[in-house]
Amino acid sequence: MYKITKEAIEQAHARIQPYIHRTPVLTNQSINEIAGTELFFKCENLQKIGAFKIRGGMNAALSLTPEKLKNGIATHSSGNHAQAIAYAAKVLGTKAYIVMPSTSPSVKVNAVKGYGAEITFCEPNQAAREAAVQKIIDETGAEFIHPYDDFRVITGQATCVKELLEEVPDLRAVVAPVGGGGLLSGTCLGAHYINPAIEVYAGEPEGAADAILSFKSGKVEKAPYVKTIADGLMTTLSEQTLSIIREHLKDIFLVSDEEIKAALKLVYERMKIVVEPSCVVPLAAVLKNKELFAGKKTGIILSGGNVDLTRFSEWFQ
Amino acid sequence: MYKITKEAIEQAHARIQPYIHRTPVLTNQSINEIAGTELFFKCENLQKIGAFKIRGGMNAALSLTPEKLKNGIATHSSGNHAQAIAYAAKVLGTKAYIVMPSTSPSVKVNAVKGYGAEITFCEPNQAAREAAVQKIIDETGAEFIHPYDDFRVITGQATCVKELLEEVPDLRAVVAPVGGGGLLSGTCLGAHYINPAIEVYAGEPEGAADAILSFKSGKVEKAPYVKTIADGLMTTLSEQTLSIIREHLKDIFLVSDEEIKAALKLVYERMKIVVEPSCVVPLAAVLKNKELFAGKKTGIILSGGNVDLTRFSEWFQ
C-alpha cells in the first residue's frame, strides 16, 4: 500500500517537477498592513492548468506502470481535477476519461475538451458520477484517480507546501482551504515532515461547513447546508483525509461569503492577480482572526485561478 | 539641459531601484500558441502603485536637489501618474499636490489620497488642469512633473525595457502602448541604446488614434474621435515624445475595442493577472499582425493593473 512519508513527498516532487511550474511566492505590503502580519502567498493560480490539482493528478498518473497507464486514466469532476487529469493524460500520451455533471459550466467543459479528454456527462449527483466512471473503468481498464481520496493525489498536493517552505523556511503558520481535504491533508503532512512546529490551519466557507464538524466529531459529517461562492470547496472530507487532518491540523476557521468577497476584492485590487473565490478563503480566515496571526510569518496557499469572467459582476459590486 | 543617453538611463535605474519592484517577465504557452510566436510579458501591473508610472515619477523627483524637493512636487493627472507622484512624495518625505478632474473615478481619488497627497479638483479640461497646477506652483514653489512631456520622466520609463532586455536579451521586437508617448519614447530609447537592431512597435486604440497620425505627418495631431475602453491612452503626444518616436519607432498598429476586449479576456483567463484595458493594446496589436511577429521573440510591456472592479461586467460578457 502507498504510504505518505517524507521520502514519498520528495519522490513525488522529483517526479512531477518536469511537468509543473514552480509557482512564485508573492507578498503585498498593503495586505500585510491590513492583516497586521507578514503573509506569503503561494500562487497556485499561476500553476499549469491554473490550479494546484495538477500536482496530485500528475503524481498519481506518473505512479502507474507503463502498461497500466496505456489503458488511460479516469475521474469524475466538474472542476480543476478534471483539467489536471486531462492535462496529465495529454502530456503522458494516454487517454483521459472524464465524467462531468451535465450542469458543469461550459468554460470548464471547454478547458477539459481543449486537452483532448473524452467527456461523459451524467446527472449531477454522486451516485450517477460513480456509476458512470465505473462503467468506463470496466470497459477500458482505465485507472481511476479520485480528486482527493487517494494517497498518490494527497502526496502530490503536499509538494506545494514543500516549495513554499523551501522559499520561506521561517514560516510559523500555513493556511490552506478545505474542500475534500486533499490539499489540506497534503499540506499538513508536507509541513509536518519539514518542520513539525509549523501550525497548519484551514479556512472553510460557512456555506459548506462540513470539515469543521468532522474535525470536531472525528466522523465524516455533512455540511448543514451547502451554499457559497467558494464553489471549489463544496465537497466533504473522506475517511482518509479526515484522519490526516485530525492528527496534524491546528484549527479550522469559518468565513462568510461576504468575508470571502472582501478578501477577493483585496487580492484583485492589491495583488493584481486572478483567483477563484475558493482560493481566498484562507486569507479571509486570517483577516477574521488577526490576533492569532499577529507577528507570525504566515504562508497562504492560493489554490487556483480558473474563473468564469462573466461571474465578476456578482463578486465585485 | 537634461539629455537622454545610455548613461542617463543607467543612472536613473540605479536611482529608482530601491523604490520600485523588479517586475517579473511572464510567459504563457497557450497565448504563444494563439499568437504563433514567443511572447515575453513585462508585468508592470505588478509594479509599485500598480503601473510603470512610478519609474518616471520617481526618477523626476529623485533628480531634484534636496532644497527644491522640500517644496513638494505637483502634477495634473486622473490616472496612474497621479499615484506615482503621490507615492514618490510619500517615500521621499515631501508634499504632493495633485490636480484631478472632478470626474475622476473614486477608486483613483482614494488611491491618491491613500498616499497622503493634497488633491485639488478642477473642471475636466486641459486649460483648467493647467491653470490649477500653475496656481499651486506659484503659491508653493513645488516642482511640476508632467505625466510624459518631461525628459526625466521618459528616462525613468526607459528603465522598464532595460530590465526586460536584461532578462530576455535575444528579443527581436518590443511592443508598448501609446498614450502621451512617455512609455513608448522611453522604450524606443532604452531598446535603441541596448541593441539598435530591436524593432520597437506601438499599439494604439482606434478610438484614440492620434499617435499614428502624428507619426506619419511629423506634427502633433489630434485623434479624429476619442472613445475607447483603453482609458489610459486618450492623451496626445508632445513635440518631445513625437520626435523620439519618429526617430526610433518601427510602426504603430491600431486595434478596436473588440480586439482589446478579446486580448483582455485572454490575459485574465490564461495568465491569471489583473490588467487595465490600456495594458493589453500591444497584445491585441500582435494578435492582429501575426505574420509580422511570427517566429520573432517579442517583448510586450503590460503597463498597469489599476482597475475599477465594478467595470468588469462591461468588459467580460
Side-chain angles (χ1 to χ4, degrees), chain A residues 274-314:
Chain A
V274 172
V275 294
E276 302 168 24
S278 307
C279 182
V280 300
V281 167
L283 174 60
V286 168
L287 294 175
K288 196 175 185 173
N289 297 277
K290 286 186 190 177
E291 64 302 329
L292 179 66
F293 294 96
K296 208 182 265 180
K297 275 194 176 185
T298 299
I300 287 193
I301 296 181
L302 291 179
S303 50
N306 291 324
V307 299
D308 177 352
L309 306 183
T310 61
R311 294 198 56 198
F312 280 162
S313 54
E314 298 164 44

Side-chain angles (χ1 to χ4, degrees), chain B residues 55-68:
Chain B
R55 297 176 182 269
M58 190 59 89
N59 186 50
L62 287 167
S63 302
L64 299 175
T65 63
E67 293 71 43
K68 183 70 192 159

Side-chain angles (χ1 to χ4, degrees), chain B residues 9-306:
Chain B
I9 296 170
E10 282 164 0
Q11 283 160 14
H13 202 203
R15 195 183 286 138
I16 67 177
Q17 243 163 3
Y19 305 99
I20 66 166
H21 291 311
R22 192 173 178 104
T23 53
V25 177
L26 296 184
T27 59
N28 186 278
Q29 201 182 321
S30 55
I31 297 183
N32 282 351
E33 280 164 20
I34 292 163
T37 189
E38 264 186 289
L39 300 176
F40 296 83
F41 295 90
K42 176 68 172 164
C43 292
E44 291 292 294
N45 60 322
L46 304 178
Q47 186 51 272
K48 281 271 172 198
I49 72 132
F52 73 94
K53 293 271 186 183
I54 189 63
R55 297 176 182 269
M58 190 59 89
N59 186 50
L62 287 167
S63 302
L64 299 175
T65 63
E67 293 71 43
K68 183 70 192 159
L69 185 61
K70 245 186 355 208
N71 296 336
I73 49 183
T75 200
H76 52 74
S77 162
S78 60
N80 293 328
H81 180 66
Q83 289 191 53
I85 295 305
Y87 181 79
K90 188 187 171 196
V91 299
L92 299 177
T94 190
K95 282 204 77 167
Y97 304 94
I98 313 287
V99 173
M100 298 182 92
S102 52
T103 50
S104 304
S106 64
V107 62
K108 302 214 166 184
V109 175
N110 289 338
V112 170
K113 267 193 197 148
Y115 295 125
E118 192 174 308
I119 299 174
T120 305
F121 290 102
C122 71
E123 292 298 303
N125 64 67
Q126 196 61 21
R129 283 175 169 220
E130 286 170 11
V133 88
Q134 190 57 53
K135 186 158 174 278
I136 290 167
I137 292 164
D138 292 346
E139 286 169 8
T140 61
E143 174 81 3
F144 177 57
I145 301 176
H146 191 278
Y148 54 89
D149 193 26
D150 182 314
F151 276 6
R152 302 165 300 186
V153 171
I154 295 170
T155 309
Q157 319 306 27
T159 61
C160 178
V161 75
K162 175 175 180 283
E163 290 180 10
L164 173 58
L165 288 169
E166 282 165 4
E167 195 128 338
V168 195
D170 57 343
L171 286 184
R172 291 180 51 205
V174 173
V175 195
V178 58
L183 176 63
L184 181 59
S185 58
T187 303
C188 280
L189 290 172
H192 173 74
Y193 287 131
I194 294 169
N195 175 3
I198 291 172
E199 298 167 4
V200 179
Y201 297 93
E204 183 170 46
E206 283 177 7
D210 62 291
I212 194 163
L213 297 179
S214 309
F215 183 62
K216 286 182 180 158
S217 75
K219 292 178 304 182
V220 173
E221 310 268 4
K222 290 217 159 131
Y225 68 98
V226 177
K227 185 178 185 326
T228 170
I229 59 163
D231 55 6
L233 305 181
M234 289 174 168
T235 40
T236 53
L237 298 180
S238 71
E239 296 287 347
Q240 296 188 119
T241 55
L242 174 58
S243 127
I244 298 168
I245 287 165
R246 287 266 290 179
E247 193 174 345
H248 296 291
L249 190 75
K250 192 92 176 166
D251 211 348
I252 301 185
F253 302 111
L254 292 183
V255 293
S256 68
D257 272 15
E258 284 315 300
E259 289 159 341
I260 295 170
K261 281 184 191 172
L264 201 61
K265 190 160 181 271
L266 265 187
V267 170
Y268 276 71
E269 277 189 350
R270 311 295 172 114
M271 297 185 67
K272 321 283 183 197
I273 55 175
V274 171
V275 294
E276 301 168 23
S278 306
C279 181
V280 300
V281 167
L283 174 59
V286 168
L287 294 175
K288 197 175 184 172
N289 297 277
K290 286 186 191 178
E291 63 302 330
L292 178 66
F293 294 95
K296 208 182 265 180
K297 274 194 176 185
T298 298
I300 288 193
I301 296 181
L302 291 180
S303 50
N306 291 324

Side-chain angles (χ1 to χ4, degrees), chain A residues 201-213:
Chain A
Y201 297 93
E204 182 170 47
E206 283 177 8
D210 62 292
I212 195 165
L213 298 179

Side-chain angles (χ1 to χ4, degrees), chain A residues 196-232:
Chain A
I198 290 172
E199 298 167 3
V200 179
Y201 297 93
E204 182 170 47
E206 283 177 8
D210 62 292
I212 195 165
L213 298 179
S214 308
F215 183 62
K216 286 182 180 158
S217 74
K219 291 178 305 182
V220 174
E221 309 269 3
K222 291 218 159 130
Y225 67 98
V226 178
K227 184 177 184 330
T228 172
I229 58 163
D231 56 6

